Amino acid sequence: MINLLDFDRDGLTRWCVEQGEKPFRATQLFRWVHQRGVADVSQMSDLAKSLRQKIEGQAAVTALSVISEQVSRDGTVKWLFDVGAGNAVETVFIPEDDRGTLCVSSQAGCAVACRFCSTGHQGFSRNLSTGEIVAQLWYAEHQLRRRLGLPEGERAVTNVVMMGMGEPLQNYSALVPALRTMLDDHGYGLSRRRVTVSTSGVVPMIERLMVDCPVALAVSLHAPDDVLRDHLVPINRKYPLGELLEACKAYLSAAPRDFITFEYCMLDGVNDHDQHAKELIRLLKGLHCKLNLIPFNPFPESGLKRSSVTRVKEFAQILQDADIVTTVRKTRGDDIAAACGQLAGDVIDRTNRNQRQERAMRSEHVVQWQER
Ligand code: SAH
Ligand code: SF4
C-alpha cells in the first residue's frame, strides 16, 4: 500500500497522472491530507467517487502509532512513535508565546555517535522514510489543533526544527521531499526561515541542500578546534572544521536568513574554558552567524557534566564582547526528558520505560494536558 505521506506535491502529481488523473487532483488530495488532516479518503468530498475508490485501492495515509505521550509542566509535549521492529522515535512540541516549535526526528538512532548525545549512544537503526518524517508533523499539527480548539486556518506548529533523533543530512533523499511538504502552501505553508535543518556537519549535503531546498541551517559545532571536535563529533574526522566553515559561508548566499546558527553544547571542563571561547572568536570571525549555547542535558551513560550557570554566562560574555551574537538556550521539558540530546526512543526495554513513565506521571512535575 502506498503511503500518501511519502509524496511531496510534485510526487503526488506524478502519481495521479500515472493513474490517468488531472494534475490538479493531486493538489486537492494534498490539501485534504495535510491542511485538513483527513486520512479517510471517502471523506474527501470534492473528489469524484470513482477517483476515491481508485485511491483507496492502492494508497492510504499511514500515520505512526503513538506509544506514549508526555506533557511537561511547561507545556512541552513529547510523543514516542513506533516505527516497527522495536524501534521508536520521539517528537517534541515546544509552545511559546508567539510560536509553536516542533522538533522532528529523521532517523531511528544515529550513526554519528556524538559523545554527549543520547541518540548517538544508542547507535544507528535505520533511516525514516519521507512519510515517517512528515507523519510526525501531520499528527502533531492536527492533534494539537483539535485539542487547542484552533479556528480553521490557524496553525499549532509554526516552526519545525530537524533536531530530534538522527542526522537529517545522512537521510537526504527522504528529508528533501519532507521539507518541501512543510514549505508547500498547499501543505503546511511554513516559510523557509521557519524550517531549520540542524546538522553535525555533513559537508557535501550542506552544499546540496543549498541548491535543492535552502531552509534555515543550524550547525552543531561544539568545539573550536579539530582535535577536540574529532573527539566530540566524530564526523569531524571526515569533514574537518575548515571544510565545514567553507560550506557554511557558501550556504549563506542561498540561506533564507542572513546568518547560520552554530550550536555549542556546554560540557563542564571539556569545551567551556575561556581559551575555547577565544578560539571560537578566531574561528567565526567574519562569518554571519549566531551562536547558541546549549547547557548539556545529562544522561547517565555519557560520563559528562553540564557547565555551571556562571561558566555559561562568562563564556557567553567573552563571545558577546567580541561582537558574536550569543544566546543561551532555555532547556524545555526537562522533567520529561524532552530536551536536546535526551531523546532515546528506546522501546527495547518497555517494562522499565513504562514503570519510569508511570512514576513520572505520578510526580507533581507532569501535569495533564490542559485545554486552552
Ligand atoms: N543530528 C543533528 C540534529 C539532532 S541533535 C545535529 O547533531 O545537529 C540536535 C541538537 O542537540 C544538536 O545541536 C546536538 O548537538 C544537540 N545535543 C545533542 N545531545 C545533547 C545533549 N545531551 N545536551 C544538549 N544538547 C545536545
Ligand atoms: Fe547524531 Fe546529532 Fe546526536 Fe550527533 S548530536 S549523535 S549527529 S543526533
Side-chain angles (χ1 to χ4, degrees):
M1 195 57 116
I2 286 170
N3 183 1
L4 292 170
L5 300 180
D6 268 323
F7 293 120
D8 60 12
R9 196 152 52 88
D10 281 351
L12 194 60
T13 306
R14 278 192 297 276
W15 184 74
C16 282
V17 171
E18 275 167 27
Q19 308 303 309
E21 295 295 330
K22 293 262 181 346
F24 79 92
R25 294 291 177 204
T27 302
Q28 284 178 310
L29 180 55
F30 198 76
R31 290 169 68 101
W32 275 108
V33 173
H34 297 290
Q35 286 193 340
R36 306 180 71 168
V38 172
D40 180 356
V41 176
S42 68
Q43 284 179 26
M44 302 181 180
S45 49
D46 58 358
L47 300 181
K49 197 158 180 213
S50 59
L51 172 58
R52 280 185 263 160
Q53 280 167 347
K54 205 188 300 181
I55 297 170
E56 278 176 321
Q58 316 172 55
V61 172
T62 310
L64 293 173
S65 52
V66 181
I67 297 171
S68 67
E69 175 187 296
Q70 288 172 277
V71 184
S72 160
R73 64 187 149 178
D74 69 12
T76 301
V77 187
K78 179 171 86 168
W79 291 281
L80 182 68
F81 290 107
D82 193 351
V83 292
N87 291 314
V89 296
E90 290 177 311
T91 308
V92 179
F93 177 70
I94 306 144
E96 284 170 281
D97 291 343
D98 56 343
R99 64 184 143 179
T101 303
L102 194 70
C103 180
V104 171
S105 293
S106 56
Q107 300 179 312
C110 182
V112 180
C114 301
R115 305 268 154 185
F116 47 83
C117 172
S118 154
T119 308
H121 272 249
Q122 75 174 234
F124 175 67
S125 293
R126 70 167 174 88
N127 278 329
L128 298 188
S129 63
T130 298
E132 289 169 328
I133 297 172
V134 171
Q136 299 169 62
L137 174 57
W138 183 83
Y139 180 85
E141 173 65 34
H142 298 292
Q143 183 72 14
L144 291 166
R145 261 193 223 175
R146 278 193 293 274
R147 286 186 195 179
L148 301 170
L150 297 182
E152 178 100 28
E154 200 172 310
R155 289 187 208 123
V157 176
T158 62
N159 296 59
V160 169
V161 292
M162 296 302 304
M163 292 188 188
M165 299 168 66
E167 170 47 59
L169 295 187
Q170 285 189 337
N171 186 13
Y172 190 78
S173 59
L175 174 73
V176 169
L179 295 176
R180 290 193 175 133
T181 299
M182 296 172 193
L183 300 174
D184 198 312
D185 282 340
H186 300 286
Y188 299 86
L190 301 176
S191 76
R192 289 180 186 278
R193 29 181 42 240
R194 287 173 176 271
V195 176
T196 301
V197 167
S198 176
T199 180
S200 56
V202 192
V203 168
M205 295 299 145
I206 294 177
E207 290 161 355
R208 282 184 60 183
L209 189 67
M210 180 172 98
V211 178
D212 294 338
C213 193
V215 292
L217 185 68
V219 172
S220 296
L221 199 58
H222 310 308
D225 67 80
D226 281 320
V227 175
L228 183 56
R229 197 163 189 272
D230 280 353
H231 174 69
L232 293 175
V233 186
I235 201 171
N236 194 68
R237 295 175 203 153
K238 200 158 176 197
Y239 306 114
L241 279 170
E243 286 177 31
L244 178 57
L245 291 179
E246 278 310 310
C248 291
K249 245 177 238 163
Y251 196 87
L252 277 173
S253 64
R257 292 170 177 258
D258 59 359
F259 60 87
I260 304 280
T261 304
F262 288 107
E263 293 156 285
Y264 196 96
C265 176
M266 297 290 290
L267 302 163
D268 180 42
V270 176
N271 64 356
D272 68 347
H273 297 153
D274 286 2
Q275 191 53 35
H276 295 119
K278 288 177 192 154
E279 285 173 44
L280 271 179
I281 294 167
R282 271 202 300 279
L283 188 74
L284 300 179
K285 210 170 160 194
L287 185 68
H288 279 274
C289 65
K290 285 189 180 172
L291 191 66
N292 196 206
L293 302 178
I294 318 173
F296 170 58
N297 294 307
F299 58 99
E301 305 81 22
S302 71
L304 295 161
K305 287 202 299 258
R306 174 187 284 197
S307 306
S308 72
V309 176
T310 7
R311 181 76 295 242
V312 176
K313 271 197 195 138
E314 289 163 356
F315 196 87
Q317 194 60 52
I318 298 174
L319 292 150
Q320 274 156 1
D321 290 346
D323 292 329
I324 295 185
V325 179
T326 308
T327 51
V328 179
R329 182 175 296 170
K330 262 197 315 198
T331 287
R332 298 286 305 264
D334 51 353
D335 53 335
I336 56 169
C340 267
Q342 291 185 323
L343 305 184
D346 114 73
V347 282
I348 293 152
D349 188 357
R350 273 195 205 191
T351 18
N352 273 348
R353 175 174 277 276
N354 286 345
Q355 280 164 4
R356 274 204 311 276
Q357 268 166 12
E358 261 170 41
R359 274 202 301 277
M361 287 298 184
R362 279 200 302 271
S363 85
E364 55 175 332
H365 295 328
V366 181
V367 294
Q368 286 302 308
W369 181 272
Q370 286 167 346
E371 304 276 336
R372 269 200 267 170

